[in-house]
Amino acid sequence: MDSLENGTFEATMARSDMLEREIQVNPHNFRVLTGDRPTGRLHIGHLFGSLQNRARLSSLGVNTFIVIADYQVLTDRDSFESISENTLQLVIDYIASGIDPDDERNVIFPHSHVPELNQLLLPFLTLVTNAELNRNPTVKEEILASGLKRINAGMYIYPVHQAADILFCKANVVPVGKDQLPHLELTRIIARRFNEKFAANKKVFPEPQPLLSKAPLILGLDGSQKMSKSRGNAIMLCASEDETAGLIKKAKTDSERKITYDPINRPEVSNLVLLLSLCTGRAPEILADEIGDAGSGKLKSTLIESLNEYLRPLRAKRKELEGDLEFIRTVLRRGISNARNVATQTLDEVRDVMNMKI
Ligand code: TRP
């Protein structure tokens, strides 16, 4: 990851901090694009890691595009039965976590419905080499993790498709976790090469900047790996309060009675303290100290209560939205229409500079 063309991870982080300050001062100069694959329901790791940050940026007044990357689902698995169900559920989670569907600066759309966006993939593919696609570290990891013997070509080219997701709307900010940095670097390269080759360096496309997530890494309830639905260690946003309690009660802790906040040496206990801290807005060290000798039983019962209370408004909103899927579809139809307007303009401009006008 340190071999990013753009310098070291530390340098990327410093630039990201500067970008954050610029956004605070002038939110209207920025357009954010973020997105998710519709592979399943979202969990509290997503909420604290990315959803809240998106809602925050959007409420600052930043124009926010959210792509539901349904084509990406086909890259590392054979199943496609739940794509449409998962898409609706994603929209529900976005709205429940604070994205205002009535604010027209928020555009939520599945990319399969925006043909003009997808068409950008074709010229973009001619701007990268096979070797560049083959050495993408995130793709390599995903190939290993998929356990598949036959890797389809979509797996190798999806980062180029992702460049189309970002560049079709000329987004200049992409909030990302570390794993997405290679994709964003490729997007910047594609923008640069496109401008150089076809537009005599005129800025048809901006080189979007990464806004690195500040959220601490949330581990699963096993305390040993990232929270993730497929690893069975997650608390889903849609879980009931009883389910949430059951999961926390079973969370792994250690044999030391006194609660301390020590993420390196006591990852399981510290992860629970961290969650408590995120729900209460209080420092983890102080919370750990307060529980102290009352032990992990007390830590768990406190967390169960705080987390359920914290999630109660979000879950109530979720329930309400689940009862009105027609509204969710309306939000998507509006998003698709806005995204297509923007994509059509960009594609016209792209055809124009590529000498493909008739
Ligand atoms: N690859 C992202 C993920 O797996 C989803 C995604 C698709 C995305 N297109 C994007 C993220 C564009 C940011 C920008 O989560």
Side-chain angles (χ1 to χ4, degrees), residues 16-284:
S16 168
D17 285 347
M18 205 144 72
L19 178 61
E20 173 68 45
R21 287 193 290 276
E22 286 167 24
I23 295 173
Q24 302 271 350
V25 179
N26 272 320
H28 301 293
N29 291 351
F30 296 94
R31 174 171 283 182
V32 159
L33 182 125
T34 68
D36 300 287
R37 299 177 179 194
T39 50
R41 310 275 178 111
L42 299 183
H43 53 66
I44 59 170
H46 294 115
L47 179 70
F48 293 123
S50 61
L51 297 177
Q52 288 182 336
N53 193 39
R54 286 179 194 171
R56 181 185 66 87
L57 290 168
S58 163
S59 56
L60 283 175
V62 180
N63 190 190
T64 302
F65 281 66
I66 307 182
V67 61
I68 298 177
D70 44 5
Y71 277 134
Q72 272 190 24
V73 176
L74 311 177
T75 60
D76 69 348
R77 67 197 70 208
D78 290 324
S79 62
F80 57 92
E81 300 76 16
S82 314
I83 293 181
S84 123
E85 162 71 12
N86 289 341
T87 296
L88 296 174
Q89 289 293 330
L90 275 182
V91 179
I92 290 173
D93 283 330
Y94 296 155
I95 299 174
S97 63
I99 295 286
D100 178 0
D102 298 320
D103 181 341
E104 44 190 61
R105 283 175 309 207
N106 297 328
V107 181
I108 306 174
F109 64 97
H111 61 185
S112 66
H113 284 257
V114 185
E116 298 81 4
L117 176 163
N118 295 314
Q119 203 170 322
L120 293 175
L121 179 58
L122 293 170
F124 286 0
L125 279 170
T126 67
L127 296 169
V128 296
T129 65
N130 262 341
E132 281 170 321
L133 297 182
N134 275 325
R135 63 171 176 253
N136 183 308
T138 299
V139 170
K140 281 194 208 164
E141 270 164 37
E142 284 167 347
I143 287 174
L144 277 178
S146 77
L148 294 171
K149 287 208 190 69
R150 288 159 52 88
I151 303 302
N152 68 51
M155 176 59 123
Y156 293 96
I157 66 160
Y158 91 73
V160 185
H161 194 196
Q162 193 155 321
D165 290 337
I166 297 169
L167 295 177
F168 94 92
C169 65
K170 306 194 182 190
N172 49 7
V173 177
V174 184
V176 283
K178 210 172 169 183
D179 65 317
Q180 296 291 305
L181 281 175
H183 300 347
L184 193 61
E185 196 50 45
L186 185 74
T187 301
R188 293 167 57 87
I189 290 172
I190 289 172
R192 197 177 318 144
R193 289 185 189 159
F194 187 96
N195 295 340
E196 277 166 14
K197 176 167 178 180
F198 295 115
N201 268 327
K202 197 172 86 124
K203 294 255 174 296
V204 173
F205 292 114
E207 287 183 35
Q209 300 192 65
L211 187 67
L212 277 167
S213 167
K214 279 270 179 250
L217 181 68
I218 309 240
L219 300 177
L221 295 172
D222 50 2
S224 58
Q225 45 184 348
K226 194 170 142 178
M227 184 175 280
S228 128
K229 187 185 179 203
S230 59
R231 294 173 184 142
N233 62 9
I235 299 174
M236 310 312 290
L237 295 177
C238 60
S240 70
E241 297 199 0
D242 285 348
E243 284 162 353
T244 302
L247 288 163
I248 294 175
K249 278 184 194 144
K250 278 190 284 181
K252 195 158 175 267
T253 52
D254 55 35
S255 55
E256 209 175 311
R257 178 158 186 91
K258 189 170 160 45
I259 298 303
T260 52
Y261 184 64
D262 179 359
I264 307 278
N265 297 309
R266 302 185 70 191
E268 300 94 347
V269 165
S270 301
N271 190 52
L272 299 179
V273 177
L274 172 64
L275 287 173
L276 187 57
S277 157
L278 289 165
C279 295
T280 57
R282 300 178 61 218

Side-chain angles (χ1 to χ4, degrees), residues 281-298:
R282 300 178 61 218
E285 294 80 5
I286 295 177
L287 291 163
D289 225 40
E290 278 175 11
I291 296 167
D293 287 325
S296 58
K298 178 71 177 167

